[in-house]
Amino acid sequence: PNLGGAATTTGTIPSKTLKETALYFSGKNEKGLYGVEKKLEEKKTDAEMFLHRQRKVTSSENEAMMNNIIRHKVDLYNGLGSFEDAHTIQVTKEDGSCEQIRGENIMIATGSYPFHPPNIPFDKKRVHDSETILQIETFPTSICVVGAGVIGSEYTTIFATMGSKVYLINNSDAILGFLDREMTQCLVTEMETEGVEICFNTAVKNMDVPDDPSKPIHIELQCGKEFDVEMFLFAAGRSGNTSKLNCEAAGVEVGRRELITVDDKYRTNVPHIWAVGDAIGFPALASTSMDQGRVAISHMFDIGDLEGIPEVFPYGIYTVPEVSMVGITEEEAKKKNLNYCTGRANYKDTARGKIIGAQSGMMKIIFDRETLVILGVHVIGHFASEVIHYGLSLVDNKKTVKQVVSTVFNYPTLHALYKHACYDGLGNLAGYKVKRLTCDYVRLDTADIPDYDE
C-alpha cells in the first residue's frame, strides 16, 4: 500500500495537481495575456492525458515518504491494524496471517474515507466518490457534483475549466459556508461564468443509472429540477476511518461519523492513546494534521517540541480561481459586534496583475476601526494560497494597516494587493476618495486608493 493517505494518494495532492492540469489544457490563465482561447477539442484531451501528471506527482510523493520512513529506520508493518487491548495492535496481513505489536503509547492516524449515503448507487464507473473519480477511464462531457464543500467545489471548477457541463448540488444557500460570504459570491460568479449550474437548498431525490454506459444518468432533485449527465460525483462529507480498529477493545470513545474525540493535546479518553488528522475531524487539513502529530508526540514523550497548534492558520481552497483566508470573516465581525472597517483591492489594478493577465481576482481585509489592527485577510485569484501567507503574519502578529502601507515589497508583485487594500481601507475610514475602485464580482460601496505605484 502507498504511504501518505488521502493527502498524497486520493485527496490533497491529486486534486491540486488536477487543477494545474486543467489550467494547462484549457489555457484559462493565458486568455488574459493574449486574448486567445485554446480549443480543448484540438488537444484531444482524454482521461489518461488528464490524469497522467497527477499520477506522476502522487507516485513521487509516495516514494519520498517511503524513503523518509527508511531513512529514519521506522519499522513498517503492512496490513489491517486493530486493537486487541489498550496496548496491543493486531496486524492482519494480505495473506491472512496475523502479527501482534505492543506499545506503551499508541497514536491513531488512520484518516478518513468518503461518506456513502444509501440512496447513491456508487459503481466506480460512472457514479463516483472523491477517491474513485481518480480512476475514470473516459472524460465526461457533463457531470453532476453533489456537495459544495472544499472537495466538491474544487472538482466542480476543475471539470468546468476542462469544458465539461457541470451541475453543482448543494443542500444549503451558500457554498463553502466557513468562508467570507463576499468571497463565496465571487467564486459563484466565476463558476457561473464557466457555465456551472448551481442548485441551492436542494438534494438528489432520485437517480437512474442505465446499465448501458452510452445512455445518460437521469437526475431528479427535490426541488423538481431534472437533467441528464454522463457522470456523477458525490462529495458531501467524509467519515473517520476507524470502524475496523476495534476501538472498543481499547476503550477508546468514537463519536459521530466514526470520529475519535480528543483533548487539546490530541489525547483520547484513554491516557496513553492519541489520535490526529482526519480521524478526529475538524479542521481535517493536510497543513494542520502533521503538526497535530508533532503536538501529540511532544506531549507523549514530554519533549517540549510543540505545545499546541496555533490558533491562527490559513485555509486554502484550490478551486479555479483559488480562494484563501486567514482570521475572521465579515460575518463573524458583525456577529461579535466589532467596530470594524474593510478595504479591497483588485488584481487587475496592480502592475503584477496586469503582467500575468489577471482578468479578475481581489483581496479583502478586515481591520479594527480604532486600533487599525488587521483581523482578517481574504483572497480570491491567482496564487491566493501563496499570497495569503503574508496575511497570516499580519493577523498573527496583530499588525496594523498603517504598518502595511509603510512596508517595502518587491515591485512588481501581487503583494501590492495588501497596500492597495490597506489604502482603500484607510480611505473608507476617512471618507476620503482619491481613486475609484471597481469590483470584478459584486456591487460594493465605492472606495478609492492612491496611485502610489503607477
Side-chain angles (χ1 to χ4, degrees):
N2 293 319
L3 299 177
T8 60
T9 306
T10 59
T12 307
I13 296 299
S15 63
K16 282 52 176 176
T17 307
L18 291 179
K19 187 209 80 166
E20 297 300 328
T21 301
L23 288 172
Y24 169 76
F25 280 121
S26 68
K28 182 178 176 67
N29 284 348
E30 297 173 21
K31 296 173 188 176
L33 284 171
Y34 307 110
V36 176
E37 184 171 349
K38 288 183 180 178
K39 298 293 183 181
L40 284 170
E41 307 91 272
E42 295 174 2
K43 296 187 73 66
K44 297 181 180 178
T45 307
D46 58 20
E48 186 64 30
M49 292 172 62
F50 179 62
L51 295 172
H52 171 74
R53 182 67 183 170
Q54 173 263 313
R55 289 168 178 167
K56 186 173 181 179
V57 173
T58 295
S59 177
S60 177
E61 285 294 291
N62 292 149
E63 184 180 351
M65 289 197 172
M66 178 59 79
N67 289 337
N68 199 30
I69 290 289
I70 294 171
R71 187 168 61 252
H72 287 85
K73 299 179 181 179
V74 176
D75 293 331
L76 182 62
Y77 296 82
N78 289 319
L80 176 63
S82 60
F83 284 101
E84 281 289 295
D85 58 46
H87 284 280
T88 308
I89 301 293
Q90 177 165 292
V91 181
T92 304
K93 300 180 181 179
E94 213 170 345
D95 61 6
S97 62
C98 296
E99 185 174 2
Q100 290 192 346
I101 308 170
R102 186 170 177 81
E104 182 180 342
N105 293 285
I106 296 173
M107 182 187 294
I108 300 171
T110 49
S112 62
Y113 66 92
F115 175 63
H116 278 201
N119 65 320
I120 305 297
F122 296 93
D123 62 10
K124 300 182 181 181
K125 296 178 181 178
R126 292 202 291 163
V127 181
H128 294 278
D129 60 31
S130 57
E131 295 186 355
T132 64
I133 195 69
L134 298 172
Q135 301 164 10
I136 59 175
E137 296 179 355
T138 60
F139 199 87
T141 59
S142 58
I143 185 170
C144 173
V145 178
V146 173
V150 174
I151 298 172
S153 295
E154 287 180 351
Y155 275 109
T156 290
T157 60
I158 287 169
F159 280 106
T161 299
M162 287 294 290
S164 298
K165 173 62 182 179
V166 184
Y167 297 88
L168 177 59
I169 315 304
N170 193 36
N171 62 3
S172 67
D173 62 355
I175 67 173
L176 298 164
F178 60 91
L179 292 180
D180 186 276
R181 182 57 67 96
E182 188 175 333
M183 294 295 110
T184 62
Q185 290 175 341
C186 294
L187 186 56
V188 165
T189 299
E190 289 278 4
M191 288 180 175
E192 292 175 340
T193 299
E194 291 295 321
V196 176
E197 288 193 37
I198 307 177
C199 302
F200 291 110
N201 297 309
T202 190
V204 174
K205 181 179 180 181
N206 292 304
M207 60 184 295
D208 178 48
V209 186
D211 293 332
D212 184 351
S214 66
K215 295 182 179 179
I217 299 171
H218 184 71
I219 308 292
E220 180 184 356
L221 303 181
Q222 291 177 356
C223 64
K225 184 179 179 66
E226 297 184 34
F227 52 87
D228 294 333
V229 290
E230 282 189 12
M231 199 169 284
F232 181 94
L233 170 61
F234 186 87
R238 296 178 69 87
S239 298
N241 193 18
T242 61
S243 62
K244 296 180 181 179
L245 288 180
N246 193 26
C247 287
E248 57 271 21
V252 175
E253 294 179 358
V254 179
R256 181 177 173 271
R257 284 230 174 161
E258 303 170 55
L259 298 174
I260 296 174
T261 303
V262 296
D263 62 17
D264 60 349
K265 298 177 178 61
Y266 304 100
R267 191 195 305 262
T268 70
N269 62 297
V270 181
H272 66 276
I273 299 178
W274 316 69
V276 298
D278 283 13
I280 66 172
F282 183 84
L285 299 171
S287 56
T288 57
S289 293
M290 182 171 68
D291 280 346
Q292 288 174 355
R294 285 184 60 195
V295 171
I297 292 295
S298 178
H299 291 288
M300 186 184 294
F301 296 106
D302 194 24
I303 57 178
D305 174 37
L306 193 63
E307 286 299 307
I309 298 296
E311 293 184 6
V312 179
F313 54 83
Y315 289 85
I317 318 300
Y318 292 79
T319 43
V320 182
E322 291 181 4
V323 186
S324 200
M325 66 159 284
V326 64
I328 67 170
T329 65
E330 187 167 1
E331 289 70 38
E332 289 172 326
K334 290 178 179 177
K335 189 175 181 179
K336 293 178 180 179
N337 294 316
L338 300 180
N339 187 18
Y340 74 93
C341 189
T342 62
R344 297 172 179 81
N346 286 335
Y347 271 61
K348 66 182 182 182
D349 291 332
T350 69
R352 181 64 171 171
K354 294 170 184 175
I355 290 170
I356 64 176
Q359 298 174 301
S360 62
M362 68 174 289
M363 174 180 287
K364 172 182 178 180
I365 63 166
I366 300 168
F367 63 96
D368 185 280
R369 279 181 174 270
E370 296 180 359
T371 66
L372 303 184
V373 169
I374 297 172
L375 306 173
V377 179
H378 307 268
V379 189
I380 180 170
H382 289 63
F383 314 118
S385 61
E386 305 283 350
V387 172
I388 198 65
H389 289 129
Y390 179 62
L392 167 63
S393 176
L394 296 177
V395 175
D396 194 32
N397 293 297
K398 298 179 173 55
K399 297 297 184 180
T400 69
V401 291
K402 286 189 175 180
Q403 287 174 307
V404 173
V405 299
S406 63
T407 300
V408 177
F409 299 128
N410 282 332
Y411 179 82
T413 66
L414 289 177
H415 272 56
L417 288 165
Y418 285 97
K419 284 199 174 186
H420 280 241
C422 286
Y423 274 125
D424 177 52
L426 290 172
N428 289 336
L429 197 62
Y432 181 64
K433 307 299 181 183
V434 179
K435 177 179 177 183
R436 186 172 298 277
L437 175 69
T438 58
C439 180
D440 297 310
Y441 300 104
V442 292
R443 180 173 294 174
L444 305 167
D445 293 336
T446 302
D448 303 313
I449 54 178
D451 293 320
Y452 77 93
D453 67 352
E454 296 180 4

